Amino acid sequence: VMVAQMIDRSAGSTRTEGSILTNLILIYGGVLAFSILVNGPSGATISLWTTTFAIPVAVYFVALRLLRTTQDVEKVFLAVHVTAICCGLLALHEFYAGYNIVAKYLGPSTTMEEDFVVWYLTTGREATGDDALYRVFSFFTNPLEFGVFMVLVYPFALLRFLTPQAIGKRLLNG
């Protein structure tokens, strides 16, 4: 829906494209629910279903309800791009400094035996030594989540950079 809005600037509403996408999302949810029934409900399957279906669908329906015009969608993309820029700047600092400043000063104090993941996030390169490869995670709790977020945002920023618009917006997206 949002990609169609970006490409076709004359489209004023998300209603037509939204009904097709809504049906596809509901079919996807049905397949996921069926897989839970087949495999048996457990804590892991319910957690996975919540993460991969319930939360994204809730966000989608809220967005479908609130985003009525192309300008509304533009505001969402602007917020996502500003967020990506902030994540990228923190990741640059983290890469060169060898620690995450947010995790170091706001994270809990713990030992490796108590909670390895939190310990690794708050100690930074000290945890692995200077010779080991330290993977940045920015505001995320996992380097993979950070990478996925940046990879998902990059095509939209590139498409918007290549679309003719004011020089300030081009610099923000480029």
Side-chain angles (χ1 to χ4, degrees):
V1 173
M2 293 183 185
V3 173
Q5 291 278 333
M6 287 175 53
I7 294 171
D8 184 13
R9 300 266 182 202
S10 64
S13 173
T14 58
R15 296 293 174 214
T16 305
E17 297 89 355
S19 64
I20 296 168
L21 189 57
T22 300
N23 291 335
L24 291 174
I25 287 174
L26 293 175
I27 291 170
Y28 172 67
V31 170
L32 284 177
F34 180 72
S35 69
I36 289 175
L37 293 174
V38 169
N39 296 325
S42 68
T45 56
I46 299 298
S47 174
L48 184 63
W49 185 84
T50 303
T51 305
T52 61
F53 180 71
I55 293 172
V57 167
V59 169
Y60 169 72
F61 281 119
V62 167
L64 193 62
R65 179 82 175 146
L66 297 177
L67 302 178
R68 303 231 181 242
T69 65
T70 305
Q71 288 78 23
D72 294 339
V73 176
E74 292 286 334
K75 289 176 187 175
V76 170
F77 276 119
L78 178 63
V80 169
H81 289 156
V82 169
T83 302
I85 290 169
C86 293
C87 288
L89 290 174
L90 179 61
L92 281 173
H93 172 271
E94 184 179 357
F95 179 76
Y96 288 111
Y99 66 93
N100 187 306
I101 194 168
V102 174
K104 184 172 185 170
Y105 293 113
L106 299 178
S109 176
T110 186
T111 64
M112 184 171 81
E113 291 79 21
E114 291 173 357
D115 191 342
F116 177 78
V117 174
V118 173
W119 171 79
Y120 177 76
L121 294 179
T122 55
T123 56
R125 196 174 286 148
E126 299 167 12
T128 59
D130 288 335
D131 296 336
L133 179 64
Y134 175 71
R135 295 167 47 186
V136 299
F137 54 91
S138 190
F139 289 103
F140 298 86
T141 58
N142 186 318
L144 297 175
E145 294 169 354
F146 169 63
V148 166
F149 173 74
M150 295 304 275
V151 165
L152 288 174
V153 170
Y154 181 74
F156 294 112
L158 183 63
L159 180 62
R160 292 172 57 89
F161 176 73
L162 297 174
T163 304
Q165 49 188 309
I167 189 72
K169 286 185 178 181
R170 284 185 71 118
L171 289 175
L172 179 69
N173 293 314

